[in-house]
Amino acid sequence: MKEPLKKLLNNNQLIWCGERCTPTRRGLPTGHAALDAILPEAGWLPGALIEVISPQWGIGEIELFLPAMAAATQADKQLVWIAPPYIPYPPALVSGGISLSHLLVLHPPRHQDIPWAMETVLRQRRCAMVLAWPGRLISKTVRRLQLAAEAGGGVGVLFRSEHRDSSFAATRLLLKPGTSGLQVTILKSRATRGRQTVALALH
Amino acid sequence: MSRSAAAAPLQHSLFSPQSPVLPRPSATGRSVLWMSLFFPRLSLQVLEADVDARPWAVIDEAHGKPIVHAASQPARKMGVESGMALTAAYALCPELEAEPRDRSAEQACLTDLADGAMQYSSVVSLEPQALLLEVAASLKLFGGLQALYERVEGDLRQQPYDVEIAVAPSPQAALLLARCAMQTCITERAALRAELGRLPLAVLPVSEKQATLLGRMGLRELRDVWRLPRAGLIKRLGLEFIDYLDRLLCDKPELRLSHKSAANFSASWCFPQETENLTFILYGIEQLLPRLVNFMRLRELALNRLQVVFYHQDKQASRLELGTRQLCRDETHLSTLIRERFNQEKLSAPVLELVLLAEEFHPAVIGNQSLFAPGEEQGSDWQQVLDQLQTRLGEEAVCHLQLRDEHRPEYAWAYTPVQPIEQKSHGLLKRRPIWLMSQPQRLGSGLKEIQLTSETERIEGGWWDGFDIRRDYYRARDRHGRRLWLFRNLQDGEWYLQGLFG
């Protein structure tokens, strides 16, 4: 590829390139070296949605994001958890490095308010990460959330239990419990390197 | 002896020696200065927006007979004057329409204007058809009398009421000058006598008897009065008259009660007919919101509770309550919250009238705007988002987490509506799960498929508050790969699941 063309492609976010020669934007470090190595932006892509498909909760799905969340609160950014399935237990969060004054927990009384709440907080520049357990979502809503994340520049994480073939989320991860930790498979990312699986050791 | 030479010593001997000695204005003229705002056509203008469209008059009652209080320009052209009997007015102008005077509307209008005038002065006093503002203390803030005068005049021009403005060192003089439509600014006490001297005696607020007496004495202008001996004037016209002249010339101090603005805000909006249309209702609210914000701005207040009361035709009034997490007086923010609320709640019936009601105010904390760090503004944006979330989701739905000093797992945390202060890990925290069950779940037969992966951690105690526990905690793994936090209750020997390592 010619040098000017390469430059043009790399600098224009609107053009989808299968595999960029060099990641143009640095992602937020995930805190897991093995995962950083296989993610195209070497971390969580800011301003995008991550869809996490996990057969059940309690296999280490939060611990996957814990280092990035801790780093965000240290940088005086906000975290929002929307409709978590259980009580987020503060002693564990604090020992994981999260500052509780930067964490907001929302319990929308109606199921249909979850996407609205997520979109509202994602649009805020102040908000670094939004974790949501939305249950069923239609794909148009996911698209809206992806656009909201792009506008606000934060990372939105959708935790879902069912597996669908396509989604508007920029990154899709499949989680499985491993023998000593968590097995993360990248189903989709902004670079086609095929499905890659990495086993993370959680303590 | 020339006339002026004769007048000067007389003036002195008549008024100054007997009157109480006041501090003389200093070289800069700083003592008190009153600005008077007189609304000559207030009684007409509160009743109708376009006063001069037809010949009409506002009628007041005097000695049991209707008299003209004020007349529109077309009626005045026909010869109708204030103070004229209604029958005489009809004789001059047969097509005259008479409206009764609405004193309460006038008073309400004057109170509104007084609230507005609080921005120029801390002392605003209400007079019939007029306001008096003590402006000497405000001159520095507004950059001099000229600037203040122009600002007041500019602001009042936007009101639909005609106004005459005059400034004088004594409140009575300012009032008198404004009533005579003399747009004068007198700042020196010494100049009062000369300026007021030119006014005709008819403008003085005296009784009919006194006016006739003054006429019979051959006096026409105020300066004629200055020349008369004080003792004689007291004898003929009474002490009250002399007292008035003393106050007029600033020889006697005058205490004035300052207008106290209302502590609550309440404003209503009537719809021409019953409506359920949200566009109309929101329009009504948006007309009232600027008044509320102005109310708070003038008083340096902010609110966190607001009510909208809806009156219906034959149902009971319904109300909508709105709360903000932080004190607020931002119009667009309040408007957004009200809209958000309307998206949620349905009106119970068509609305005839709505009232915006705020009863609880707090002193506003207005921080300085930062010059270099835009982070502060982001903070207030975030608070507005929290308000928006709270308005739509309800107050309990928006919460923070708090760590509590407690060794029993279920008491070591709490939800809190306010942002907690920074809490550091105590360092001695054992490994705890990220997810906690709201209630420990008893494990029955499922226990067989669970594999314990840690040593025992015993947690016990709590006899002091009646929630005594004795438990052995373990980390474990089930056959789905979930990482569990279990305990065996030593009190009943059962196994329970209390958390998940998410």
Side-chain angles (χ1 to χ4, degrees):
Chain A
M1 214 168 3
K2 287 230 168 67
E3 201 53 43
L5 189 60
K6 208 188 242 176
K7 215 167 142 190
L8 188 71
L9 287 175
N10 272 337
N11 290 338
N12 195 339
Q13 287 298 318
L14 294 175
I15 299 174
W16 173 283
C17 305
E19 188 162 355
R20 290 183 198 283
C21 311
T22 46
T24 50
R25 274 195 288 176
R26 290 286 297 171
L28 305 166
T30 62
H32 308 279
L35 190 60
D36 280 350
I38 60 163
L39 281 167
E41 281 85 11
W44 305 123
L45 180 63
L49 215 56
I50 302 171
E51 201 176 293
V52 175
I53 298 145
S54 169
Q56 63 252 311
W57 315 129
I59 59 170
E61 71 279 2
I62 302 295
E63 224 165 287
L64 178 64
F65 295 98
L66 204 58
M69 287 194 287
T73 62
Q74 304 309 327
D76 197 23
K77 293 274 194 170
Q78 285 284 341
L79 298 179
V80 185
W81 291 22
I82 304 172
Y86 305 103
I87 298 158
Y89 194 44
L93 300 177
V94 169
S95 57
I98 290 179
S99 131
L100 291 179
S101 58
H102 290 82
L103 173 64
L104 182 73
V105 183
L106 302 178
H107 299 285
R110 283 169 306 175
H111 174 253
Q112 62 265 35
D113 281 332
I114 296 175
W116 172 83
M118 187 171 186
E119 194 184 329
T120 310
V121 287
L122 267 178
R123 284 192 184 280
Q124 296 303 312
R125 295 226 146 263
R126 184 90 190 272
C127 199
M129 266 189 143
V130 184
L131 274 59
W133 287 261
R136 294 181 63 82
L137 275 185
I138 55 169
S139 57
K140 215 160 82 183
T141 316
V142 181
R143 172 85 184 129
R144 280 189 68 94
L145 294 174
Q146 169 66 33
L147 290 175
E150 278 169 29
V155 178
V157 186
L158 285 174
F159 287 96
R160 314 187 68 178
S161 46
E162 85 262 44
H163 191 307
R164 288 253 207 93
D165 289 336
S166 68
S167 163
F168 283 107
T171 311
R172 300 182 82 205
L173 305 174
L174 178 67
L175 305 188
K176 272 191 187 139
T179 43
S180 68
L182 185 66
Q183 211 178 336
V184 183
T185 307
I186 301 175
L187 296 178
K188 177 188 171 185
S189 72
R190 289 224 168 133
T192 51
R193 295 189 191 179
R195 283 194 178 193
Q196 279 182 300
T197 305
V198 64
L200 303 179
L202 302 176
H203 46 278
Chain B
M1 212 197 289
S2 78
R3 201 180 151 170
S4 59
L10 259 176
Q11 273 180 22
H12 231 80
S13 61
L14 275 182
F15 289 98
S16 306
Q18 286 105 335
S19 53
V21 181
L22 275 179
R24 291 258 159 209
S26 64
T28 55
R30 167 76 189 90
S31 61
V32 286
L33 204 56
W34 292 86
M35 177 180 275
S36 151
L37 314 176
F38 177 63
F39 305 95
R41 306 219 288 169
L42 187 69
S43 54
L44 292 164
Q45 278 161 332
V46 293
L47 292 178
E48 220 169 287
D50 190 7
V51 170
D52 292 331
R54 59 196 171 93
W56 67 292
V58 172
I59 305 304
D60 207 358
E61 198 114 321
H63 309 300
K65 279 184 201 162
I67 59 156
V68 175
H69 180 257
S72 70
Q73 199 56 37
R76 293 171 71 87
K77 268 197 192 134
M78 311 278 281
V80 179
E81 292 285 342
S82 302
M84 193 176 258
L86 183 58
T87 41
Y90 275 136
L92 286 167
C93 174
E95 63 267 39
L96 187 77
E97 287 169 45
E99 307 267 356
R101 186 175 176 188
D102 188 349
R103 282 174 194 273
S104 61
E106 278 175 46
Q107 196 56 37
C109 169
L110 213 54
T111 315
D112 269 0
L113 287 165
D115 283 344
M118 294 293 278
Q119 61 181 303
Y120 314 117
S121 163
S122 54
V123 181
V124 174
S125 161
L126 266 75
E127 284 287 318
Q129 278 188 280
L131 296 178
L132 273 170
L133 281 60
E134 203 288 301
V135 290
S138 320
L139 292 183
K140 202 164 189 175
L141 175 64
F142 287 91
L145 186 58
Q146 174 88 17
L148 175 62
Y149 189 96
E150 278 165 13
R151 174 143 176 200
V152 173
E153 200 184 23
D155 286 351
L156 283 172
R157 208 171 288 139
Q158 293 173 9
Q159 302 278 351
Y161 312 108
D162 294 349
V163 63
E164 302 287 350
I165 307 176
V167 179
S170 84
Q172 293 298 345
L175 267 181
L176 199 63
L177 288 166
R179 278 187 210 279
C180 298
M182 303 210 0
Q183 306 235 334
T184 342
C185 282
I186 304 171
T187 51
E188 296 292 327
R189 255 177 75 177
L192 262 181
R193 236 167 243 263
E195 286 287 336
L196 292 173
R198 278 182 274 151
L199 296 179
L201 277 179
V203 301
L204 286 184
V206 291
S207 68
E208 226 167 282
K209 201 174 141 199
Q210 284 172 324
T212 335
L213 193 61
L214 285 167
R216 280 202 198 133
M217 283 160 73
L219 307 177
R220 261 158 210 95
E221 291 174 331
L222 265 169
R223 78 176 77 179
D224 298 334
V225 179
W226 302 160
R227 297 201 192 100
L228 294 179
R230 189 180 171 90
L233 275 178
I234 294 175
K235 211 165 186 179
R236 291 182 185 194
L237 292 154
L239 205 55
E240 243 171 72
F241 182 72
I242 294 298
D243 187 55
Y244 172 76
L245 289 186
D246 280 344
R247 283 185 285 139
L248 191 64
L249 292 176
C250 230
D251 288 338
K252 224 177 199 178
E254 184 172 349
L255 285 177
R256 302 205 68 95
L257 282 180
S258 181
H259 165 65
K260 283 270 186 312
S261 45
N264 296 347
F265 177 85
S266 145
S268 70
W269 184 265
C270 292
F271 296 98
Q273 61 200 43
E274 278 184 291
T275 179
E276 257 183 315
N277 190 331
L278 273 189
T279 323
F280 291 145
I281 291 171
L282 284 172
Y283 175 80
I285 292 176
E286 264 159 32
Q287 297 302 303
L288 299 177
L289 273 180
R291 285 171 59 186
L292 171 64
V293 170
N294 203 32
F295 177 93
M296 292 192 280
R297 218 191 52 230
L298 293 176
R299 293 163 181 77
E300 287 292 310
L301 294 174
L303 55 74
N304 56 8
R305 287 265 171 280
L306 180 66
Q307 277 187 24
V308 189
V309 187
F310 300 100
Y311 292 97
H312 312 288
Q313 181 79 53
D314 20 56
K315 280 188 74 176
Q316 260 209 316
S318 57
R319 53 186 65 211
L320 192 102
E321 289 193 23
L322 205 73
T324 62
R325 294 172 69 88
Q326 290 217 327
L327 294 177
C328 162
R329 66 169 189 211
D330 182 14
E331 188 185 325
T332 42
H333 182 48
L334 287 174
S335 168
T336 321
L337 293 185
I338 290 178
R339 273 169 193 281
E340 195 61 69
R341 219 27 217 282
F342 266 113
N343 287 338
Q344 308 262 62
E345 292 190 21
K346 293 272 167 286
L347 286 166
S348 58
V351 179
L352 260 184
E353 184 186 354
L354 66 84
V355 174
L356 202 62
L357 202 65
E359 286 168 334
E360 214 181 303
F361 291 100
H362 304 275
V365 185
I366 315 286
N368 288 339
Q369 284 187 334
S370 62
L371 184 57
F372 300 112
E376 290 298 308
E377 289 142 41
Q378 278 187 13
S380 75
D381 274 2
W382 181 248
Q383 287 302 331
Q384 297 197 348
V385 171
L386 291 185
D387 279 344
Q388 216 176 329
L389 292 169
Q390 182 180 304
T391 310
R392 171 133 174 193
L393 306 178
E395 284 186 28
E396 300 81 33
V398 181
C399 50
H400 294 274
L401 288 164
Q402 201 181 8
L403 199 60
R404 287 168 61 179
D405 283 330
E406 174 64 58
H407 71 288
R408 285 169 294 179
E410 52 264 62
Y411 301 113
W413 71 284
Y415 278 131
T416 153
V418 291
Q419 196 164 347
I421 47 163
E422 195 66 44
Q423 284 174 310
K424 288 267 176 273
S425 145
H426 301 301
L428 47 85
L429 288 173
K430 292 261 170 87
R431 191 158 145 65
R432 290 282 177 263
I434 282 180
W435 295 129
L436 190 77
M437 307 278 176
S438 47
Q439 283 291 327
Q441 291 174 8
R442 217 176 105 179
L443 292 169
S445 54
L447 194 62
K448 283 181 222 119
E449 293 164 346
I450 287 170
Q451 187 190 344
L452 299 184
T453 57
S454 77
E455 298 292 306
T456 315
E457 180 192 350
R458 175 159 301 180
I459 298 176
E460 61 181 317
W463 49 265
W464 47 87
D465 58 9
F467 298 100
D468 197 7
I469 60 167
R470 278 187 77 205
R471 296 168 182 175
D472 276 345
Y473 276 88
Y474 300 91
R475 273 180 278 149
R477 229 179 144 79
D478 70 0
R479 74 189 161 93
H480 304 292
R482 292 198 303 172
R483 303 181 303 157
L484 317 174
W485 199 46
L486 310 172
F487 67 82
R488 193 162 81 91
N489 192 343
L490 297 180
Q491 285 157 336
D492 62 4
E494 293 283 350
W495 286 83
Y496 292 88
L497 171 63
Q498 199 174 18
L500 294 169
F501 291 87

